[in-house]
Amino acid sequence: MTPVHPNQPFRDDVWSWRNEEIDRYNAAALEFMRNQNVPINDAHALIAADPDRLLNADGLHLSEEGNRLYAEAVVRAVEPYLAPQKN
């Protein structure tokens, strides 16, 4: 799910997700996944919590810190499913 920077100006001649659309889409997806007992790693919520810090100036790509936090969240999400290492 791609976050949209809340201060990003929108142009009428170029299609782009709007924050309201993303929020509705995410809410429906989260409800469906919870009903199906699907594990959730909400990257959008992670980045949307501080987009000025976690997104680059283009409002789309992650900053260095955003990449680090996103990677850490992915590791936490998949770690429980990894087989333990044998020595």
Side-chain angles (χ1 to χ4, degrees):
M1 294 174 224
T2 304
V4 176
H5 194 285
N7 298 322
Q8 180 77 20
F10 294 104
R11 295 174 39 185
D12 291 333
D13 62 334
V14 178
W15 181 87
S16 177
W17 284 101
R18 304 294 200 268
N19 285 323
E20 321 67 73
E21 295 169 317
I22 292 170
D23 291 342
R24 283 195 311 271
Y25 177 84
N26 285 350
L30 288 170
E31 180 181 354
F32 176 80
M33 290 187 291
R34 285 186 181 120
N35 289 338
Q36 300 299 314
N37 295 315
V38 175
I40 298 167
N41 180 22
D42 193 348
H44 176 76
L46 174 74
I47 303 305
D50 194 351
D52 290 329
R53 184 171 56 99
L54 301 177
L55 293 175
N56 280 327
D58 66 7
L60 176 63
H61 297 96
L62 296 174
S63 66
E64 186 174 326
E65 185 172 6
N67 277 312
R68 183 183 57 76
L69 290 177
Y70 182 76
E72 289 171 359
V74 170
V75 169
R76 282 192 306 275
V78 299
E79 211 166 29
Y81 303 98
L82 299 176
Q85 297 291 323
K86 293 182 180 181
N87 292 333

